[in-house]
Amino acid sequence: MLIRHSFIYILARLLTGVFGMVTTALLTRLLDPDRYGLYGLSLVVMSFGATIGFDWLGLSFMRFYQGRKDDPLVISTILQLFLGLVVVTAGLAALAGAAGVINGREAPMICAGLLLMWSFSWFELTARFRVAD
């Protein structure tokens, strides 16, 4: 059972890495340098935001879940914190847009980066749920 679940986990990690590499290779051919720079900006937003804003949540879950497996509040609290972080990051992006920090040309890529950040962070958090289970 452990080997099967480990194989699924490794396969999921491997497929996302391969998908990212293939996507990058295709986009370097399909996009002009200006558009590729905007794509790179969205990836930076995703990785930086996911690491700084959301990574601690999965680590906290792993730390507290082992001692409180039977407490249903642990998972619901982590999910509420995740949703709160989504709202906070969306609000910060809206404030940055209103303040003029993000210009109109960068706004679509920032929005794409935010969506990627939230989905990547959700994937990482649910992977931690599976590992803990």
Side-chain angles (χ1 to χ4, degrees):
M1 186 68 110
L2 178 64
I3 293 173
R4 188 174 129 229
H5 288 290
S6 297
F7 177 73
I8 291 170
Y9 181 76
I10 290 169
L11 186 63
R13 290 292 190 172
L14 183 67
L15 287 177
T16 55
V18 168
F19 180 71
M21 187 173 63
V22 169
T23 302
T24 301
L26 286 173
L27 290 177
T28 57
R29 303 279 187 239
L30 297 174
L31 298 176
D32 61 3
D34 192 43
R35 293 269 187 215
Y36 189 77
L38 291 174
Y39 165 72
L41 175 66
S42 67
L43 287 181
V44 167
V45 169
M46 180 208 67
S47 59
F48 183 72
T51 301
I52 299 299
F54 289 86
D55 209 22
W56 66 271
L57 194 56
L59 295 172
S60 299
F61 169 76
M62 294 299 285
R63 165 68 176 89
F64 290 111
Y65 183 72
Q66 296 304 318
R68 298 184 173 130
K69 286 182 183 179
D70 299 326
D71 189 359
L73 291 177
V74 173
I75 291 180
S76 67
T77 301
I78 296 295
L79 293 176
Q80 288 173 9
L81 285 170
F82 181 83
L83 289 175
L85 287 171
V86 168
V87 169
V88 166
T89 53
L92 288 174
L95 282 173
V101 174
I102 300 171
N103 65 34
R105 190 167 163 254
E106 295 170 345
M109 289 299 124
I110 297 292
C111 290
L114 284 172
L115 290 173
L116 288 170
M117 176 183 69
W118 297 329
S119 59
F120 177 76
S121 299
W122 178 252
F123 173 77
E124 289 294 317
L125 186 60
T126 56
R128 298 243 169 110
F129 287 166
R130 295 291 179 204
V131 166
D133 198 25

